[in-house]
Each structure stands twice: as structure tokens, then as C-alpha cells.
């Protein structure tokens, strides 16, 4: 990804900041221009809770090049306390420890780097509570 | 709206075609279709291709393929909806003939995947790149998330998932156009290399090259041109969220259900009217969820349904008689057209060893990404 593309997403990725629809109260993350629930176009800023639970998960044995050093890694869909769902890795654990319903918290981690001349990209991953 | 029929079809075998380029594959299949339909001219052309740009670094393939096919100056539209590109191209051609704008329209799909060094990343572009792929999602991983949700919600087992591959390889062994024409045992599927748990490599469709082409015409003309006329009676399309995690039910595919409902309504048919069906089994779990969403079996019961043999040739509803994406191969853009060609063969009695007895009404289901797009067609012998 190009540097401007990373810069554009810095608020979501580094501060877990989403938005709440002024019309229906739906919480959206990351931000978008139209509410997916009611079509509303006005929002308040809404910080995301830093804990959630695992909805579904897998252990990945063949991944993309930028994750070669992490193979095998655990990927999961996580539901935050406010109902928002995201996809990320579950780290610092073993596949046998991971089950649907288990609580996780976000940790700040390096996601990828773009080589010698590029930027290092940080963001969130999840850890079992 | 005019009634639209299929008057010809042609395809390359799906496999690793090391000595053929994208244009070679397309022209080979297109000439077969044109010869089969016995037409001298086409009015317009649609070509489904997921990512000629990422796979062979060539865009603008519409005019290129028109030129190489030698049908000078015909208008051409490339259609993209990830792995559903082929059947969406078919639907666009169907609409053009139905509207009365054109009579003879060529609809096609093509993909040349083996020239690409990083196929996994090229395919991943059909998911939500910023919110899924960026965090480590691959297609096997996303379908593994669906499989795990299905296992947790309904008790679907690893053996039931593997049974889909066993059945599809059994059918592929009877298809001379299939990439893998050999049977595999349940143990072989279960014990093959793990890609994304619970999906082993024998539950993942392969990387393939190939092209598939059909010729469409209005009913009155079709009746004069062929003796076995197959009419398209239902065409339904639908979309869903691009990211899997945005859906309420991870073990469901809403776009598949909605596209099927639209096709059933248009054709005035119900699931029990369908004699034979091709579904999008990019991974074993995809076939299980698809047959639930198409209404062939109740939600959550697909694993047992497949295990009991109901989807085999001779079973209650034969699914993927061609071998499916798993055994027939999956050159992504060509897949949707190839599915329709299999049903066309079944309905015209040309399916050889894998012929379903008295098949009169057939269906195809083709999807893109993790079901963010789905296209369903229903066809009938006139
Ligand atoms: Zn709203």
C-alpha cells in the first residue's frame, strides 16, 4: 500500500476511532459517508471498545508474502462490545486455545513494512484476555 | 422482453495450459461455440474476466479478443464481478438479446492464471483489501471462517466437508474437460495438506487456465437454428457486504439466497422443480452453504444431505455433475460460463457418462468473493 493510503487510515488504525449515526445510533467502524442501516449521512465520533469476543476463527498455514514469518497464524472475526465486527489476527497464543466466544483485547502491533524505503505500518491485533 | 435461448457452446479443457496465452484460450473456445451454433456473424460480445490485469498484466481485453477472433469491430464489454464475472457476462448478454437490441450475442469468460507469480494476492483483491486482506485474510482463510461458523452452529463435521470433494472428484473423473479426472478417497481429502483449518488442499479449487463461450439468440431464431432448444427462463443477481465480518450470519450467504429467489420468481419455479444444478464450490464449505441457500436442503442440514449421497448423480438433486470448481478447475472468469455449459449439455442429453436421466430443468449458481456477488440462472428444454 502507498504511504498516503496508510496515512489516510491512521485515525482508525492507531486510535480505534469510528462513528455513530446521528439518526439511528448505528456504530460504524471504520468510518464511511453513509449509514449502512438507515442511510443517514451525519455522524458523531465514537471510540471503539478495546475488548470483544471471537465469533469464528481459523489457523492459516499458507498466507501472503508479508506474513511469511508468522505462519501459521490465527485469523478471527471479532465482535466488539458495541456490536462492531472486525477481522484480525489473534496473537501470543496457540490454535488449541482459540474458541468461539472467548474474550479478547486489542494490542498495538506492527502489521507490515514496505521494505527499506517504505514505511512501517502499525495497527491492531487481538490477544486472549 | 423477448425469450432468449442458447444455440451453441464451446470450451477449452480447464488445466494448466503452459503453451497457450489468454487470447489463444479465448479464441479456441469461441471458435468451438461459433461452429457449434453455425452462425456467421455476431452482433455483440461480453467477456467475463476477474483480473486479466493482475494475472497477465493485460487490460482492455474486449477489443483484443474481438480482433483475435476475427469478428472485426463488434462491440465488446468486459464484465467483472470477481469469480462471478462469467455468469454476470452471460446475464448481460441475456439482457441485450431479451431487450431486442441484438439477435446473436456471444457471451464468454476467460482467465489465464498460471502466468501470475502471486495468484493468492491477485485473488485476495476480491475480498475487502483494506479491512480483511490487510490483516492477513486469504480466500481459503475467509471460507475457513465460514466453515468454522457452520461447524459451531450446526455440528457440521470435517468428514461432511470432505465428502463434497470426494463427490466432485467422482464426477470430474467422468468429465473429459475436467482438470482432475481422478477419484479421491475421504481419507485422502482429510489427510491432505492443511491450508486454513478446517480446509485441506483437497477442499480448495485449483489454479487453472481456460475459457468458455456460448452463443445466445431469441427464441424464434433459435427454433430455426437448432433442434434441441434450451431457453433461459430465470436470471437473478444479488450483492452483499464486501467484508465477510459485516454480515449478521457468518454461516449464511444472503446474496446466494436472494439471487436464487429472483431467478425462481422469474422462472416461476421452486427448488423441487430443478433436476440438475451446478454450484460455486470454490471451497467444500461453499457447496454446503450454497445448497442450503438455493433451497435444496434446510439450513444447517447440508452436511448430512451430502454424506447420504443426495447430491450424487442419481441422487435427489445432482450437484456439480461436471466435477465442480474443485475437479473441473476454476479459471475464475470462465467458471460461470462453464457451469452453464454443463447444464446445457445435461439438458440436451450430451453429458456422456455423467448424464442425469430426463433432465429438463437445470440451474447454475456462481459467486464472487465470499458471496458479495451471486448470479443464478435457470434453464429449460423448450
Ligand atoms: Zn443510521
Amino acid at each position: 500500500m502507498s504511504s498516503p493510503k496508510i496515512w489516510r487510515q491512521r485515525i482508525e488504525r492507531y486510535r480505534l476511532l469510528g462513528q455513530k449515526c446521528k439518526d439511528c445510533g448505528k456504530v460504524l467502524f471504520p468510518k464511511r459517508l453513509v449509514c449502512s442501516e438507515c442511510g443517514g449521512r451525519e455522524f458523531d465520533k465514537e471510540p471503539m471498545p478495546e475488548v470483544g469476543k471471537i465469533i469464528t476463527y481459523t489457523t492459516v498455514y499458507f498466507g501472503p508474502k508479508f506474513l511469511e514469518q508468522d505462519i501459521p497464524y490465527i485469523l478471527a472475526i471479532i465482535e466488539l462490545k458495541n456490536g462492531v465486527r472486525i477481522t484480525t489476527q489473534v496473537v501470543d497464543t496457540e490454535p488449541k486455545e482459540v474458541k468461539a466466544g472467548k474474550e479478547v483485547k486489542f494490542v498495538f502491533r506492527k502489521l507490515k513494512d514496505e521494505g527499506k524505503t517504505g514505511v512501517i505500518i502499525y495497527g491492531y491485533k487481538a490477544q486472549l484476555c | 422482453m423477448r425469450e432468449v435461448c442458447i444455440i451453441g457452446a464451446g470450451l477449452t479443457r480447464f488445466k494448466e495450459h503452459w503453451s497457450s496465452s489468454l487470447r489463444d484460450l479465448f479464441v479456441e473456445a469461441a471458435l468451438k461455440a461459433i461452429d457449434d451454433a453455425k452462425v456467421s456473424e455476431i452482433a455483440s460480445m461480453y467477456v467475463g474476466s476477474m483480473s486479466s490485469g493482475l494475472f497477465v498484466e493485460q487490460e482492455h481485453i474486449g477489443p483484443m479478443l474481438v480482433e483475435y477472433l476475427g469478428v472485426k469491430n463488434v462491440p465488446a464489454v468486459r464484465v467483472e464481478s470477481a469469480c462471478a464475472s462469467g455468469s454476470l457476462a452471460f446475464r448481460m448478454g441475456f439482457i441485450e438479446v431479451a431487450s431486442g437490441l441484438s439477435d446473436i450475442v456471444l457471451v464468454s469468460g476467460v482467465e489465464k492464471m498460471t502466468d501470475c507469480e502471486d495468484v493468492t494476492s491477485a485473488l485476495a483483491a476480491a475480498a475487502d483489501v483494506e479491512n480483511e486482506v490487510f490483516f492477513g485474510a486469504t480466500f481459503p482463510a475467509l471460507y475457513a471462517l465460514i466453515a468454522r461458523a457452520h461447524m459451531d452452529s450446526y455440528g457440521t463435521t470435517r468428514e461432511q466437508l470432505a465428502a463434497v470433494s470426494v463427490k466432485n472428484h467422482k464426477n470430474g473423473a467422468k468429465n473429459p474437460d475436467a482438470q482432475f479426472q481422478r477419484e479421491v478417497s475421504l481419507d485422502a481429502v482429510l489427510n491432505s495438506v492443511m491450508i486454513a483449518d478446517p480446509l485441506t488442499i483437497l477442499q480448495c479449487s485449483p489454479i487453472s487456465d481456460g475459457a468458455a463461450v456460448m452463443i445466445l439468440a431469441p427464441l424464434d431464431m433459435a427454433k430455426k437454428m437448432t433442434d434441441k432448444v434450451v431457453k433461459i427462463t430465470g436470471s437473478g443477481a444479488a450483492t452483499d457486504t464486501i467484508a465477510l465480518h459485516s454480515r449478521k450470519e457468518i454461516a449464511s450467504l444472503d446474496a446466494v439466497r436472494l439471487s436464487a429467489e429472483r431467478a425462481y420468481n422469474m422462472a416461476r419455479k421452486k427448488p423441487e422443480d430443478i433436476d440438475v444444478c451446478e454450484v460455486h464450490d470454490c471451497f467444500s464449505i461453499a457447496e454446503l452453504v450454497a445448497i442450503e441457500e438455493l433451497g435444496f436442503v434446510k439450513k444447517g442440514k447440508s452436511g448430512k444431505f451430502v454424506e447420504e449421497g443426495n447430491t450424487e448423480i442419481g441422487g435427489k438433486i445432482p450437484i456439480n455433475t461436471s466435477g465442480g470448481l474443485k475437479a473441473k478447475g476454476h479459471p475464475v472468469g470462465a467458471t460461470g460460463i462453464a457451469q452453464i455449459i454443463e447444464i446445457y449439455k445435461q439438458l440436451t442429453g450430451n453429458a456422456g457418462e455423467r448424464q442425469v436421466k430426463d433432465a429438463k430443468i437445470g440451474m447454475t449458481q456462481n459467486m464472487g468473493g465470499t458471496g458479495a456477488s451471486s448470479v443464478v440462472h435457470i434453464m429449460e428444454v423448450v
Side-chain angles (χ1 to χ4, degrees):
Chain A
M1 268 197 232
S2 67
S3 299
K5 198 166 173 182
I6 301 308
W7 172 82
R8 202 181 301 139
Q9 297 169 359
R10 69 199 182 284
I11 307 291
E12 287 98 331
R13 293 214 203 286
Y14 294 1
R15 276 189 245 155
L16 290 174
L17 195 64
Q19 62 189 21
K20 191 174 198 168
C21 176
K22 281 191 177 178
D23 292 328
C24 75
K26 168 98 176 170
V27 181
L28 294 160
F29 175 85
K31 65 175 186 200
R32 51 177 81 182
L33 297 174
V34 180
C35 174
S36 58
E37 196 68 33
C38 76
R41 298 179 193 182
E42 287 188 52
F43 303 93
D44 290 317
K45 287 194 169 118
E46 177 80 4
M48 293 299 110
E50 292 182 24
V51 288
K53 62 171 188 191
I54 293 170
I55 298 295
T56 180
Y57 59 95
T58 179
T59 305
V60 183
Y61 294 89
F62 286 87
K65 279 210 170 67
F66 75 92
L67 286 171
E68 250 166 19
Q69 72 284 358
D70 295 339
I71 293 281
Y73 59 89
I74 299 158
L75 191 79
I77 291 178
I78 289 157
E79 185 173 290
L80 310 185
K81 282 261 151 77
N82 61 4
V84 165
R85 286 182 179 185
I86 54 112
T87 300
T88 195
Q89 292 168 49
V90 181
V91 293
D92 306 330
T93 188
E94 294 300 317
K96 63 178 185 341
E97 301 299 325
V98 177
K99 291 275 173 297
K102 278 208 175 180
E103 299 237 317
V104 294
K105 60 174 190 271
F106 281 126
V107 285
F108 191 71
R109 288 292 163 91
K110 178 176 154 182
L111 287 178
K112 55 159 85 161
D113 65 55
E114 298 185 318
K116 276 185 181 146
T117 53
V119 295
I120 297 173
I121 304 158
Y122 295 93
Y124 50 83
K125 292 184 182 178
Q127 215 175 38
L128 293 177
C129 285
Chain B
M1 224 172 70
R2 296 198 294 182
E3 297 192 281
V4 183
C5 298
I6 297 164
I7 58 166
L11 79 172
T12 67
R13 188 181 160 193
F14 287 179
K15 60 170 191 160
E16 296 173 357
H17 282 279
W18 296 107
S19 52
S20 303
S21 66
L22 182 144
R23 50 190 108 181
D24 296 336
L25 293 167
F26 171 82
V27 172
E28 182 190 331
L31 290 177
K32 282 185 194 168
I34 286 172
D35 292 349
D36 185 40
K38 298 178 197 73
V39 290
S40 52
E41 281 184 355
I42 57 165
S44 166
M45 176 169 129
Y46 289 85
V47 50
S49 160
M50 174 188 160
S51 195
S52 60
L54 290 177
F55 289 130
V56 297
E57 296 173 62
Q58 174 73 58
E59 306 288 16
H60 210 184
I61 62 172
M64 180 181 90
L65 298 178
V66 164
E67 181 197 345
Y68 276 77
L69 183 58
V71 287
K72 287 189 181 102
N73 307 111
V74 159
V77 177
R78 170 171 163 196
V79 178
E80 188 272 315
S81 193
C83 308
S85 301
S87 51
L88 202 57
F90 184 92
R91 179 174 153 89
M92 300 320 291
F94 164 77
I95 291 169
E96 183 166 330
V97 177
S99 76
L101 185 70
S102 302
D103 288 333
I104 308 295
V105 171
L106 182 151
V107 291
S108 65
V110 61
E111 214 78 64
K112 171 72 194 171
M113 299 172 77
T114 56
D115 281 352
C116 177
E117 279 177 24
D118 193 359
V119 174
T120 304
S121 295
L123 288 172
D128 187 331
V129 173
E130 289 184 8
N131 299 301
E132 294 181 312
V133 182
F134 192 77
F135 292 93
T138 60
F139 265 97
L142 290 166
Y143 275 94
L145 293 174
I146 298 176
R148 171 54 59 187
H150 207 273
M151 292 164 88
D152 284 354
S153 299
Y154 306 113
T156 303
T157 64
R158 288 174 189 271
E159 289 74 16
Q160 290 169 344
L161 286 165
V164 173
S165 297
V166 173
K167 184 263 299 170
N168 286 345
H169 269 265
K170 198 170 155 190
N171 293 347
K174 300 188 177 99
N175 184 356
D177 293 319
Q179 183 163 355
F180 302 119
Q181 297 171 27
R182 62 183 168 85
E183 299 195 13
V184 294
S185 68
L186 194 71
D187 277 346
V189 177
L190 288 168
N191 297 321
S192 61
V193 176
M194 188 63 80
I195 301 294
D197 188 68
L199 303 177
T200 59
I201 196 160
L202 283 176
Q203 295 174 57
C204 306
S205 54
I207 290 162
S208 322
D209 303 324
V213 179
M214 304 191 90
I215 312 289
L216 304 180
L219 178 64
D220 53 339
M221 285 178 77
K223 276 183 174 163
K224 289 175 204 148
M225 297 168 85
T226 63
D227 33 312
K228 208 139 198 203
V229 179
V230 172
K231 191 166 77 174
I232 301 131
T233 54
S235 176
T239 59
D240 199 353
T241 63
I242 184 77
L244 176 66
H245 61 233
S246 304
R247 306 179 197 157
K248 284 192 182 78
E249 285 292 331
I250 303 298
S252 295
L253 292 166
D254 286 358
V256 177
R257 194 188 66 249
L258 288 168
S259 56
E261 273 174 22
R262 288 165 190 171
Y264 283 133
N265 285 341
M266 186 171 169
R268 297 198 180 86
K269 289 285 176 296
K270 295 189 294 291
E272 45 282 26
D273 298 324
I274 307 298
D275 298 320
V276 56
C277 182
E278 292 279 299
V279 307
H280 195 90
D281 61 312
C282 48
F283 299 93
S284 54
I285 181 63
E287 178 161 327
L288 292 186
V289 182
I291 62 174
E292 294 173 1
E293 302 295 4
L294 295 177
F296 296 134
V297 58
K298 279 212 180 76
K299 188 84 222 153
K301 305 281 188 209
S302 57
K304 195 159 177 265
F305 190 72
V306 169
E307 213 169 33
E308 287 172 347
N310 292 302
T311 58
E312 298 203 22
I313 296 168
K316 211 169 158 193
I317 171 73
I319 302 285
N320 285 335
T321 56
S322 68
L325 282 55
K326 174 65 202 76
K328 183 186 55 196
H330 182 30
V332 281
T335 284
I337 299 284
Q339 289 180 317
I340 299 171
I341 291 179
E342 176 68 10
I343 296 301
Y344 180 60
K345 283 184 180 167
Q346 289 286 355
L347 298 184
T348 51
N350 291 314
E353 262 188 87
R354 52 189 203 287
Q355 183 65 48
V356 173
K357 250 195 202 159
D358 304 320
K360 297 278 187 298
I361 305 174
M363 183 186 219
T364 59
Q365 179 268 326
N366 181 208
M367 64 185 162
T370 48
S373 58
S374 176
V375 184
V376 168
H377 284 100
I378 297 172
M379 283 145 277
E380 295 172 47
V381 179
V382 175

